[in-house]
Amino acid sequence: ADGSISLGQQVSWNGKKASVRYIGNVRFAAGEWVGFELTDAKGMHDGSVMGVPYFDCPPAKGVFARPAQLSASSAVLGGTPAAAGPSAVVSSAQKVAASKSAAPDGHATPPSKQRTTDRSISLGQEVVWHDKKGVVRYIGDVR
């Protein structure tokens, strides 16, 4: 995979708009999966599958699919295109699972929380800090 998908990215699945909430391995099937929250359509779950929480979203808005089943959305994020266009196939080398990433000191990087404790900020949310736009990519403790 080439790393062309990221948390918070807008994608299309079966013609339905969605926002990526999870990328990585899952317990319910082998290989890499992308968990996303559907914008308008009805999904299948709230980010938990078979009792295992992968991400947090409203009930019946969450779906998992293989990266090849997604297309990059033509939605614009922060003034720049989210990807090459609606026909671009999405794939990823970026993993959310802590066991797959490490800090420069060799310690595993903890997985990001989906939302702040007060639930006011979530992964993938557009934010402004000191007049600069950005997208939340990590929520959690730092050293």
Side-chain angles (χ1 to χ4, degrees):
D2 64 9
S4 63
I5 190 171
S6 60
L7 292 173
Q9 181 176 355
Q10 300 302 302
V11 295
S12 177
W13 173 74
N14 291 338
K16 299 172 183 133
K17 293 180 183 179
S19 181
V20 174
R21 298 287 183 232
Y22 179 88
I23 304 167
N25 295 322
V26 293
R27 289 190 187 171
F28 59 83
E32 180 179 69
W33 289 80
V34 178
F36 47 92
E37 180 179 339
L38 293 170
T39 304
D40 298 319
K42 184 174 181 185
M44 300 166 71
H45 51 72
D46 64 358
S48 295
V49 177
M50 297 171 33
V52 179
Y54 295 97
F55 62 96
D56 186 33
C57 73
K61 287 289 189 178
V63 175
F64 273 95
R66 294 288 195 171
Q69 295 175 296
L70 304 174
S71 297
S73 174
S74 58
V76 174
L77 182 66
T80 58
S87 63
V89 174
V90 178
S91 60
S92 172
Q94 182 179 7
K95 304 290 185 184
V96 173
S99 62
K100 301 288 181 186
S101 60
D105 62 5
H107 291 89
T109 304
S112 179
K113 296 177 183 176
Q114 294 298 316
R115 296 178 191 248
T116 56
T117 304
D118 67 1
R119 303 182 67 78
S120 64
I121 298 175
S122 60
L123 282 180
Q125 180 178 337
E126 291 184 50
V127 294
V128 177
W129 183 71
H130 292 281
D131 296 323
K132 296 186 185 209
K133 290 182 181 181
V135 177
V136 176
R137 298 289 186 214
Y138 177 81
I139 299 172
D141 297 328
V142 294
R143 294 182 205 196

